[in-house]
Amino acid sequence: MNNGPSGFHNAPFTKGLVITCAIVSVLLGMHGGASACGLSYQAIVRKLHIWRLATSALVFSSTPELVFGLYLLYYFRVFERQIGSNKYSVFVLFSIIFTTCFELIALVVFKDPTSSVLASGPYGLIFSSFIPFYFDIPVSTWFRIFGFRFSNKSFVYLAGLQLLLSSWRRTFVPGLCGIAAGLSYRLNVFGIRRIKFPEQVACRISRLSLLSLPVEPSTVASRGNVTREAVPSYDRQFEQEDAHQEEHNDGLGDGKEEESSSESFEEEDSIVIEEVEHTEEHEEESLTSPLGRSTRQ
């Protein structure tokens, strides 16, 4: 499965996210607090544990979920290389917020005080990333195992299926909510695929992510401008549309400038013609007047 250069080259935001999830999950897991970070109807609606809205998007509740989840987050760094760190951070924020909203709606609609807590972790980001992975990442190789045909993308799907069904209902609901968030992003809900963070904010986020691990000189050199890999991007069409729109607007502006310049030239020509006509009329009047005749004689 070739998803670009190894490591976090040109993927600083993914690096910071993976490190944060790993450290927080391990620390809380050692103290037995990871299982209390998920969302539930009892905790959110009745006890108003609002802090769980943040921890549920970062902390994995078990070791198998941590392993498969970090593997998928690491693999999906290809999308940051594809669309850039700025737009990828918007995608991450959108996926987490929408997944959390869908989970809250599910808890309210199917409220059951006796139900178990939903599994915590960045399920929204992971399973929303499967939408562009399915539509935009091409299959490069095919092979057979025991008569069954597989592609280079099959192992990623199997890892996602393992994560989706690892705790049945606790992980199944967040996974479906993440898929719904990914579909919403692909459908460009609220025009989200055109939104970018200000460059100053994006640069600060990238610098904080790069400081989390030792980086190579090549990575530091590309800190200000993250290079995009040659992978088909379903966000490129919006960038091309924006470029065409800017060219069209520039063409209209040039046309207006040409029209205004031509109008100014026409006005100047008309003024010159009027002055010439006025001088000719003045000369004719001077010649026809008695003073003019006497002067000629």
Side-chain angles (χ1 to χ4, degrees), residues 260-276:
S260 61
S261 61
S262 61
E263 290 177 356
S264 63
F265 284 129
E266 290 177 357
E267 291 178 356
E268 291 177 358
D269 293 339
S270 62
I271 293 171
V272 172
I273 293 171
E274 289 179 356
E275 290 179 354
V276 172

Side-chain angles (χ1 to χ4, degrees), residues 40-67:
S40 68
Y41 178 82
Q42 193 79 11
I44 299 298
V45 178
R46 296 191 175 182
K47 297 182 180 180
L48 297 178
H49 290 173
I50 307 300
W51 53 269
R52 293 198 181 201
L53 298 176
T55 58
S56 64
L58 294 174
V59 183
F60 288 100
S61 56
S62 65
T63 302
E65 295 172 7
L66 176 64
V67 172

Side-chain angles (χ1 to χ4, degrees), residues 50-231:
I50 307 300
W51 53 269
R52 293 198 181 201
L53 298 176
T55 58
S56 64
L58 294 174
V59 183
F60 288 100
S61 56
S62 65
T63 302
E65 295 172 7
L66 176 64
V67 172
F68 285 100
L70 292 183
Y71 163 73
L72 291 172
L73 287 176
Y74 174 76
Y75 184 87
F76 289 143
R77 74 194 185 281
V78 64
F79 297 122
E80 183 175 0
R81 296 170 175 171
Q82 177 181 340
I83 63 178
S85 298
N86 194 326
K87 297 191 72 173
Y88 183 73
S89 59
V90 175
F91 171 74
V92 172
L93 186 62
F94 176 87
S95 300
I96 292 175
I97 292 176
F98 262 56
T99 301
T100 304
C101 291
F102 289 144
E103 290 178 0
L104 292 176
I105 292 173
L107 290 174
V108 173
V109 173
F110 305 103
K111 55 184 178 181
D112 184 6
T114 62
S115 63
S116 57
V117 180
L118 296 179
S120 60
Y123 285 87
L125 174 60
I126 292 172
F127 286 96
S128 63
S129 298
F130 273 101
I131 301 301
F133 177 75
Y134 174 78
F135 286 103
D136 302 306
I137 301 299
V139 175
S140 58
T141 57
W142 291 92
F143 55 91
R144 291 183 177 274
I145 299 178
F146 300 112
F148 295 97
R149 192 183 183 190
F150 296 92
S151 71
N152 61 312
K153 297 171 64 175
S154 300
F155 293 106
V156 181
Y157 287 124
L158 291 175
L161 184 64
Q162 168 65 30
L163 186 62
L164 183 67
L165 303 178
S166 58
S167 297
W168 187 228
R169 184 179 177 180
R170 295 181 62 249
T171 54
F172 190 75
V173 173
L176 289 183
C177 293
I179 293 174
L183 290 173
S184 300
Y185 184 85
R186 186 171 185 85
L187 294 175
N188 197 26
V189 176
F190 304 128
I192 187 63
R193 286 162 65 177
R194 296 182 184 273
I195 297 177
K196 290 183 178 181
F197 285 119
E199 291 298 331
Q200 294 180 352
V201 177
C203 290
R204 290 180 180 179
I205 293 175
S206 298
R207 288 173 181 175
L208 290 175
S209 302
L210 288 168
L211 290 174
S212 56
L213 273 181
V215 294
E216 300 177 357
S218 59
T219 306
V220 177
S222 62
R223 179 181 300 177
N225 184 17
V226 177
T227 305
R228 300 183 182 184
E229 300 295 330
V231 182

